[in-house]
Amino acid sequence: RHGVNQPRYPWADGPEYITQCPIQPGGKFSQKVIFTTEEGTLWWHAHSEWTRATVYGAIVVYPKKGHAYPFPKPHADLPIIFGEWWKQDIFELFDDFRRSGGDPLVSHAITINGQPGDRYNCSRQDMFKLAVDQGKTYLLRLINAAMQDILFFSIAGHQLTVVGTDGTYTKPFKSDYITISPGQTIDVLLRADHPIAASYYMAAKFYSSARAAVNLNTTTALLHYTTNNTTTTTPTAAAPATADTNASVAFTARFRSLADKKHPVDVPQKADTNLYFTLSMNAVPCPAGATCAGPNGARLAASVNNVSLVLPTSMDVLGAYYRGIGGVYGDDFPSNPPVSFDFTNLTIPAVDRTPATGNQVRVLEYNSSVELVFQGTNLLGGVDHPMHLHGTNFYVVGWGFGNFDRAKDANKTYNLVDPPFQNTIAVPRNGWVAVRFKATNPGVWFMHCHLERHASWGMGMTFIVKNGKGPNDKMLPPPSDMPPC
């Protein structure tokens, strides 16, 4: 239930060894999903190792009865789900990747609603086709379920109007292309107002600011007018270049909340808890006698504030917290990086590449106002990081390139009027993003990079939000069928 806040009920949130132990083969677990303020497009996926590569789907939350969309009602709506496909079994791929200590095998194709498109022989006859009627408007619910990269998406000859992201509505804006991060959802309106004498390609391609190995192929689907009996297609819409960071961040920077009477914002104007988290690629020594495929024969790792997450295996963090069992996690995750240096310098000493390891949490007081600054670093070259927080959305109040400077950036560039309300935000390569939220959802909540290789290497941490004093400000008890460890 990616993006569902699950108020006071983290027991069905899903991340293995954080809020539950994995469901064993042949076992079962009844999910209780609690919707509150979410409206628009969300999704669900498995949260154990790399099973989300194939186990995922859309969640659509329509307006309440008697309420309307904040835009003219579309003729129809449908999900457009982006995925990735490998010729290798996903569990074998995961095991090989973890064993090697290097990068995982690059996927062989992106998929649009399960199909790679007509540029691949295997799916030429089965490419996804969207039939539209001339003059009508369609709501496309875009979901990036891909494992490894941010995507550019476009439709030949057509502009798209962005109206929502991550289960919330936004001020509409038009764009020739979409940038969508793994884990993110974006709602767009498509006006079918072009000549019917041709069909039009829909296309998705990877955006990658730094990866040496990336799938450079473009995946296609087809927009087809129902009165068109020809087979002529227009060329694929022009999309930004694969490594065009400026295009990626320029699109993301356009999001704004509606901020009207029906859709008010409640962004904290001041923060009483300030957190500064560095996001880094790291390298750790290869075990004695082994061969590793990372840089200079090391193993690749990843970290938040130089702590590379190692999950427990004897008990989940939530179960240990609820029952007061010690030894499963520590409670001293650092509020700031332990060592300060020029995080985005082109050359960083090798001594700074080795992280600490552990399972530390950051405890938040109930109802505290939190500002969290994500700082990208150039360790091992740096890359974009789509960061996702469970248990609450956050307001994206600012972003920039280089090292965050509070005196300059917070005082001069923050948007505290109509910032977007999201649960996933891409931190640009060698840049920063500032978010704010109120810790009003008691429980245990995971935060991690949604590039699966980075999460597997340890780019994640856990927040514990304490109970409040009121009877409705406390975490609910667990269900009776929690999976055993």
Side-chain angles (χ1 to χ4, degrees), residues 90-126:
I90 194 66
F91 296 107
E92 293 178 359
L93 185 148
F94 175 76
D95 289 340
D96 290 345
F97 149 63
R98 293 293 291 163
R99 188 182 305 112
S100 74
D103 261 315
L105 178 69
V106 173
S107 63
H108 295 94
I110 311 165
T111 59
I112 299 178
N113 283 1
Q115 294 295 334
D118 64 357
R119 299 190 180 186
Y120 297 83
N121 292 333
C122 64
S123 65
R124 183 166 291 133
Q125 301 302 316
D126 300 312

Side-chain angles (χ1 to χ4, degrees), residues 411-462:
N411 295 331
K412 296 182 179 180
T413 66
Y414 274 16
N415 173 14
L416 300 179
V417 177
D418 60 352
F421 197 44
Q422 300 177 236
N423 60 60
T424 304
I425 184 64
V427 180
R429 181 188 182 191
N430 291 338
W432 58 270
V433 169
V435 305
R436 287 185 179 181
F437 62 93
K438 281 191 175 181
T440 55
N441 193 6
V444 172
W445 307 108
F446 193 33
M447 189 200 76
H448 61 98
C449 182
H450 229 279
L451 299 182
E452 214 62 30
R453 65 189 186 280
H454 293 176
S456 298
W457 286 329
M459 190 175 287
M461 56 81 62
T462 305

Side-chain angles (χ1 to χ4, degrees), residues 29 90 147 181 187 280 350 354 376 438:
F29 174 54
I90 194 66
M147 298 285 285
S181 297
D187 292 338
S280 302
T354 303
K438 281 191 175 181

Side-chain angles (χ1 to χ4, degrees), residues 222-467:
L222 201 64
L223 177 69
H224 178 77
Y225 282 78
T226 54
T227 53
N228 175 22
N229 295 317
T230 72
T231 56
T232 303
T233 56
T234 61
T236 302
T242 297
D244 193 339
T245 296
N246 289 333
S248 175
V249 298
F251 174 83
T252 302
R254 297 178 68 185
F255 283 93
R256 297 287 186 274
S257 289
L258 283 177
D260 57 25
K261 290 183 178 180
K262 293 183 178 180
H263 307 88
V265 299
D266 188 25
V267 56
Q269 296 299 299
K270 294 183 179 180
D272 50 49
T273 302
N274 287 281
L275 306 174
Y276 185 45
F277 286 2
T278 52
L279 310 173
S280 302
M281 299 297 299
N282 303 97
V284 296
C286 191
T291 301
C292 296
N296 299 316
R299 290 184 64 87
L300 286 168
S303 65
V304 179
N305 271 356
N306 207 45
V307 179
S308 188
L309 176 64
V310 177
L311 291 172
T313 57
S314 60
M315 175 174 285
D316 56 288
V317 174
L318 174 58
Y321 171 66
Y322 184 79
R323 297 175 179 87
I325 299 172
V328 177
Y329 63 88
D331 61 1
D332 57 351
F333 189 88
S335 299
N336 296 280
V339 178
S340 182
F341 54 91
D342 185 354
F343 298 117
T344 60
N345 197 298
L346 293 179
T347 57
I348 296 176
V351 68
D352 294 320
R353 295 179 183 176
T354 303
T357 58
N359 179 29
Q360 307 294 326
V361 307
R362 181 62 162 82
V363 179
L364 299 175
E365 295 294 329
Y366 180 81
N367 207 34
S368 57
S369 296
V370 181
E371 177 175 301
L372 169 56
V373 177
F374 296 111
Q375 174 69 63
T377 78
N378 200 42
L379 284 167
L380 297 185
V383 72
D384 301 73
H385 298 289
M387 300 304 295
H388 170 57
L389 176 61
H390 292 238
T392 186
N393 277 29
F394 46 69
Y395 290 99
V396 181
V397 298
W399 71 276
F401 290 110
N403 295 310
F404 175 72
D405 182 331
R406 179 167 297 280
K408 178 184 68 175
D409 297 318
N411 295 331
K412 296 182 179 180
T413 66
Y414 274 16
N415 173 14
L416 300 179
V417 177
D418 60 352
F421 197 44
Q422 300 177 236
N423 60 60
T424 304
I425 184 64
V427 180
R429 181 188 182 191
N430 291 338
W432 58 270
V433 169
V435 305
R436 287 185 179 181
F437 62 93
K438 281 191 175 181
T440 55
N441 193 6
V444 172
W445 307 108
F446 193 33
M447 189 200 76
H448 61 98
C449 182
H450 229 279
L451 299 182
E452 214 62 30
R453 65 189 186 280
H454 293 176
S456 298
W457 286 329
M459 190 175 287
M461 56 81 62
T462 305
F463 286 107
I464 291 180
V465 179
K466 289 183 178 180
N467 284 336

Side-chain angles (χ1 to χ4, degrees), residues 13 32 52 71 111 155 194 214 216 230 294 319 354 437 439 443 457:
D13 191 51
K32 179 180 179 181
R52 84 166 179 87
F71 44 81
T111 59
I155 301 179
H194 277 60
V214 66
L216 297 177
T230 72
T354 303
F437 62 93
W457 286 329

Side-chain angles (χ1 to χ4, degrees), residues 43-58 81-94 107 109 111 113-114 144-148 450 452:
W43 66 301
W44 60 269
H45 61 82
H47 221 301
S48 177
E49 296 182 342
W50 278 28
T51 49
R52 84 166 179 87
T54 56
V55 184
Y56 57 78
I81 305 179
F82 306 107
E84 283 187 83
W85 177 76
W86 284 264
K87 296 178 182 179
Q88 184 180 6
D89 178 89
I90 194 66
F91 296 107
E92 293 178 359
L93 185 148
F94 175 76
S107 63
T111 59
N113 283 1
N144 188 352
M147 298 285 285
Q148 300 296 12
H450 229 279
E452 214 62 30

Side-chain angles (χ1 to χ4, degrees), residues 71-78 130-142 153-163 173-176 178 187-196 198 200-202 223-226:
F71 44 81
K73 184 178 180 179
H75 171 69
D77 67 271
L78 77 159
L130 171 61
V132 297
D133 295 331
Q134 174 75 22
K136 293 182 177 178
T137 299
Y138 298 82
L139 175 59
L140 305 184
R141 302 179 180 275
L142 310 180
F153 173 73
S154 56
I155 301 179
H158 295 71
Q159 270 198 328
L160 298 170
T161 301
V162 177
V163 294
F173 67 89
K174 293 185 177 181
S175 182
D176 294 325
I178 302 298
D187 292 338
V188 299
L189 296 177
L190 166 69
R191 179 70 176 171
D193 57 0
H194 277 60
I196 62 174
Y200 299 85
Y201 273 126
M202 303 191 293
L223 177 69
H224 178 77
Y225 282 78
T226 54

